Amino acid sequence: MPISIEKISGRALLPFDDAEDFLKSELVERLKINLPCENFGKLLYFKNFPKNSLTQNSDCEKNIFFARTQMLEPFLLRFESIGEAAAALKSIQRNWASYQFQFFRRAELIQKKLPYINFRERDFPVKIPRSEIGLWTLLDERTILASAKTSSFLPAGKIVFKENHIDPPSRAYLKLQEAFALANNFFGVEFPGEGTRCFEAGAAPGGWTWVLANLGANILAVDRAELDWRLMKNKRVEFLAHDAFTLSPEEIGKCDWVFSDVICYPERLLEWTRKWLESGLAKNMICTIKMQGGINWSAVEKFEAIENSRVVHLNYNKHELTWIHCEPSLIFNSEESVSFIHC
């Protein structure tokens, strides 16, 4: 049987780990897409998925939060040998990532014949190349479902960091590391560093503060509870025992970055972030949108609609989303920052 490539209609979506139900709910409740699909492991293939539209208001053009990557232009590749499969994929595009649910050894042999892709755990900080990366999976021993065009620059939409099980006071630090990597990829903004002033709302026990301090930033960390004792002694950290959401941007002063991982209703977080944006005192923000029961899609859409923003579901998120807002062209002079006066 000669090699054949057949373009097929529709789209295939790969959900984040343990988020298949959230993805299906998002398609129905948010995007009003209620269509039958085929399951290839966790990969969901929708034969009649609505075609892309050039209009920005099309539901199909919206970011699908709970899909870690999407096969946007799927095709079937039929082949005889492992070498033929790899050669055919390489003839289409250089970079390919593998998602497999069966025939794992055969898939491994094909992937080894493709150009090297780093699937290993990453050291932070890391910058994600803006290079197209395809996705492929074996449907049977001689048929591949693939797409050269996908919705993510990450291999199979996933990044994994080497974990530090000793120093961080919580695993929440992994969320901020991933968010920074995506902010750099989406907007070209640099990571915080020496001379950067950060304000973190609801900082305790200090997972995010730990990341910022290690990057060399200066942090005003606000929470009712104290941080981990090691951070309380860190010279880069200024701690204030207070309800962070009751402090106005004017009381805090200019910041290069503003953060929130506070457990609160999305509507309250939206109101708080708008105050910061309207104040002009911080243009780089990363906030976790916590879900209180069901997902408030209306509030999420309002976050997504804010200029220079992206709403994403991180690989390290649970039942929550992350809002990233960056305007890298606007850099504040840290010397102009207002030091908060303790009362």
Side-chain angles (χ1 to χ4, degrees):
M1 181 183 73
I3 294 175
S4 69
I5 295 177
E6 176 191 353
K7 292 184 179 180
I8 58 177
S9 62
R11 186 178 297 193
L13 281 60
L14 183 61
F16 285 91
D17 294 341
D18 302 319
E20 183 175 337
D21 289 341
F22 292 143
L23 174 57
K24 290 179 178 179
S25 175
E26 179 183 3
L27 291 173
V28 174
E29 296 177 12
R30 173 176 170 248
L31 300 178
K32 313 304 179 187
I33 297 174
N34 190 7
L35 299 170
C37 70
E38 292 184 71
N39 289 65
F40 302 118
K42 293 182 179 180
L43 189 68
L44 308 179
Y45 169 60
F46 296 84
K47 181 179 180 179
N48 297 314
F49 200 92
K51 293 181 179 180
N52 283 349
S53 169
L54 296 178
T55 62
Q56 292 298 311
N57 292 326
S58 168
D59 282 340
C60 308
E61 292 299 319
K62 292 180 179 178
N63 184 22
I64 302 178
F65 306 127
F66 286 100
R68 78 186 202 206
T69 192
Q70 304 172 53
M71 289 184 174
L72 301 177
E73 297 177 357
F75 62 86
L76 295 176
L77 168 61
R78 297 180 176 88
F79 62 95
E80 283 295 321
S81 70
I82 288 170
E84 286 179 344
L89 291 174
K90 284 191 289 186
S91 71
I92 297 170
Q93 180 170 284
R94 181 193 185 279
N95 297 325
W96 290 94
S98 167
Y99 162 73
Q100 303 302 327
F101 62 101
Q102 58 182 355
F103 308 115
F104 299 103
R105 178 56 180 165
R106 189 170 179 80
E108 181 183 6
L109 294 174
I110 294 173
Q111 188 68 43
K112 283 183 176 179
K113 290 183 174 294
L114 295 171
Y116 174 75
I117 297 293
N118 185 2
F119 295 100
R120 296 178 299 177
E121 295 179 340
R122 309 290 187 93
D123 289 309
F124 180 82
V126 63
K127 294 186 177 181
I128 304 165
R130 292 185 63 84
S131 304
E132 292 285 352
I133 184 164
L135 182 68
W136 68 277
T137 189
L138 280 168
L139 300 186
D140 58 46
E141 291 185 331
R142 292 180 174 80
T143 306
I144 283 174
L145 171 65
S147 175
K149 186 176 181 181
T150 64
S151 62
S152 175
F153 292 111
L154 293 169
K158 190 168 186 177
I159 189 169
V160 179
F161 291 108
K162 292 180 181 178
E163 292 199 35
N164 182 330
H165 299 283
I166 299 173
D167 301 311
S170 73
R171 291 190 79 250
Y173 79 95
L174 294 162
K175 291 192 293 185
L176 188 59
Q177 290 182 343
E178 184 179 356
F180 276 140
L182 292 181
N184 175 263
N185 182 264
F186 295 155
F187 303 105
V189 68
E190 292 300 321
F191 301 117
E194 296 286 343
T196 302
R197 185 172 191 258
C198 302
F199 165 53
E200 184 185 354
W208 287 22
T209 308
W210 179 83
V211 173
L212 297 169
N214 281 342
L215 287 171
N218 299 314
I219 311 104
L220 171 60
V222 179
D223 204 319
R224 292 184 181 277
E226 288 191 351
L227 307 179
D228 180 274
W229 66 271
R230 293 165 294 181
L231 291 169
M232 294 294 290
K233 293 183 177 182
N234 191 306
K235 294 180 179 180
R236 297 189 182 278
V237 179
E238 178 185 3
F239 174 74
L240 176 65
H242 206 285
D243 180 348
F245 277 17
T246 65
L247 298 173
S248 70
E250 290 73 21
E251 289 177 285
I252 301 299
K254 285 186 176 180
C255 299
D256 299 292
W257 289 86
V258 172
F259 304 93
S260 170
D261 195 29
V262 174
I263 298 175
C264 68
Y265 286 102
E267 299 89 341
R268 189 183 183 203
L269 179 66
L270 182 63
E271 179 184 1
W272 182 77
T273 55
R274 282 175 170 169
K275 287 180 180 179
W276 272 100
L277 294 176
E278 291 167 1
S279 75
L281 295 174
K283 297 302 178 184
N284 297 331
M285 302 182 70
I286 296 178
C287 300
T288 305
I289 306 172
K290 305 282 187 175
M291 304 304 170
Q292 307 290 318
I295 299 175
N296 183 337
W297 290 117
S298 176
V300 173
E301 293 277 7
K302 290 174 182 176
F303 276 103
E304 178 85 340
I306 295 172
E307 189 176 3
N308 299 319
S309 294
R310 288 285 298 271
V311 173
V312 295
H313 183 276
L314 304 173
N315 284 278
Y316 289 104
N317 276 145
K318 294 180 180 178
H319 184 37
E320 57 194 12
L321 296 169
T322 296
W323 175 68
I324 303 172
H325 172 81
C326 295
E327 291 186 8
S329 62
L330 182 57
I331 304 296
F332 288 121
N333 185 337
S334 61
E335 294 180 357
E336 297 176 358
S337 299
V338 178
S339 177
F340 192 91
I341 299 175
H342 292 259
C343 300

